[in-house]
Structure formats: structure tokens, C-alpha cells
Amino acid sequence: MKHEEFNATIRQKMEDLADTETNRKRQETDDEINSISEKIQEKKAALADHIAEGRYDDAVTAKTEISRLESKQEILLDVAKELDAIPRYDDKDLRKISDEAVNHYYSVLKGLYEERLRILDQLDANYRQMEESKDSYNDIKRLIDSNASDFNYAYSRTYAIPSDRSDLLNDPYRIRRDIKHIEEDLQKYGYQE
């Protein structure tokens, strides 16, 4: 399962866990408090307009309505405090989801480690082939050099590989650069594979 799919599954489970009567009541209470706050602001603006226009009876009505809304808001704030004291999720359920997430990502990590080991094994095998190739080259080079009149000719074209701990083998840019140099050298001497 891809990370996005797994994360979406966990988010859905969290939403399902949060869908309780208490959490619905908590949300309704919060919405009601916000709605009352907006109404109070509207009534205060209307009160200021009534006073400015000299409509004092309307101002008294608005002030009474503001008082009533503020009292209701106070009661709802107390209810909200009580509801906030109740956890949104059950710890046991959260632990199950947490364990599921940890297990999933551990399995992903295990797979990545196993892939890394496979790649390292392949790199070791490749390196052994490079060493075998170098050893074979050195045997042939010794044979040719022992019979050549110009001993330094082969020296200019010595076959070399870096040590297995060399930074070169960990640097893709340098490896690509060396491949390009080798290709140029092979082209220069007319080698065809």
C-alpha cells in the first residue's frame, strides 16, 4: 500500500473514532457559541445605530437581547468546558491506530533495508568482476610488456579501478564522468564492442 493510501486510511479511522455523540455535541456547542458571538456583534452595532438615531425603545430592546445572548453564551461556555474535559478519543483506540501506523512504516523500512542489502550485494559482485577483469588485464599486460620494445607504451593506458571503499564508487557524477573518459579513449583507439 502506498503512503498516501495508508495515510488516508488512518485519517479515515481517526474521523470514525471522533464520530461520537460527545464529539458531535462538542461541535454543535462550539458552532452555537460562534453563532451567538456573531449575533452579539450585530446587536451591538444595531444598538449603536439606534442610540445615534434617537430610537431609544429599539435601543432598550437591543440591549435586552444582547444581555440574553451573553447569558446564553456564558451557559454554553460552561457546557463547552465540561465537554472539553472529556477526551476526544479513547486511548485504547488511539494505541491500536498508532501500532498499526508503526507496524506499517516498520514494514516499509524493512523492505527498504532489504533492497539496500540486495543492491550492496550486487555492488560487491560487480566489484569482484572488476577485480577479476583487472587481474586478467595485469596478466596480459605483463606478457605484452615483457615482449615489447617500448615498455612505456602500455603505461600511458593503464587499466585501473578504484578501491572498493573509494568515494568514486559512491559518486554517480564521477562515475558518469569516468565512463565518458573511457568511451572517448575507446573511440580514440577505434575500439568496437
Side-chain angles (χ1 to χ4, degrees):
M1 180 181 296
K2 292 185 177 177
H3 295 314
E4 296 80 13
E5 295 168 1
F6 179 76
N7 290 346
T9 302
I10 293 296
R11 284 190 188 95
Q12 184 58 51
K13 287 181 179 183
M14 293 293 290
E15 286 176 17
D16 293 346
L17 284 180
D19 189 24
T20 63
E21 184 62 36
T22 303
N23 288 339
R24 282 191 295 274
K25 188 173 181 183
R26 184 189 331 258
Q27 186 61 47
E28 290 169 8
T29 304
D30 289 346
D31 292 344
E32 184 69 21
I33 290 170
N34 291 335
S35 173
I36 289 172
S37 292
E38 289 173 11
K39 288 178 184 175
I40 288 172
Q41 294 307 315
E42 290 171 7
K43 293 292 181 184
K44 285 183 178 178
L47 175 64
D49 288 344
H50 295 321
I51 292 172
E53 295 171 4
R55 295 183 312 187
Y56 301 114
D57 288 338
D58 291 338
V60 169
T61 304
K63 190 160 175 111
T64 304
E65 184 63 20
I66 290 170
S67 253
R68 189 187 72 74
L69 288 170
E70 286 174 341
S71 294
K72 185 176 180 182
Q73 187 179 39
E74 252 181 72
I75 292 167
L76 287 172
L77 286 171
D78 289 340
V79 170
K81 280 183 190 174
E82 290 173 15
L83 291 171
D84 284 342
I86 301 169
R88 288 183 184 272
Y89 302 98
D90 182 82
D91 279 349
K92 180 179 59 168
D93 294 332
L94 284 179
R95 284 189 185 109
K96 280 173 44 180
I97 290 177
S98 176
D99 288 344
E100 185 178 346
V102 169
N103 291 342
H104 172 77
Y105 284 103
Y106 265 167
S107 72
V108 169
L109 185 61
K110 178 181 175 255
L112 292 172
Y113 279 151
E114 287 171 347
E115 179 66 13
R116 176 74 174 172
L117 285 175
R118 189 191 63 70
I119 290 169
L120 289 174
D121 288 343
Q122 184 61 49
L123 285 173
D124 283 343
N126 290 353
Y127 190 76
R128 280 192 298 280
Q129 284 182 328
M130 290 169 71
E131 285 182 323
E132 288 169 11
S133 176
K134 182 179 181 182
D135 291 343
S136 296
Y137 164 76
N138 284 334
D139 290 344
I140 294 298
K141 180 179 180 293
R142 275 191 291 279
L143 175 67
I144 293 170
D145 284 348
S146 66
N147 294 307
S149 59
D150 183 4
F151 184 76
N152 288 325
Y153 172 75
Y155 178 76
S156 68
R157 296 198 65 220
T158 300
Y159 177 87
I161 62 169
S163 71
D164 60 345
R165 294 193 186 347
S166 170
D167 288 340
L168 169 67
L169 295 178
N170 295 318
D171 184 352
Y173 171 76
R174 288 175 63 187
I175 292 172
R176 284 188 190 96
R177 185 192 66 200
D178 282 354
I179 289 171
K180 185 176 181 222
H181 289 297
I182 290 170
E183 287 172 346
E184 289 169 356
D185 197 41
L186 291 172
Q187 245 180 358
K188 178 179 169 185
Y189 288 95
Y191 178 78
Q192 299 291 323
E193 290 187 57

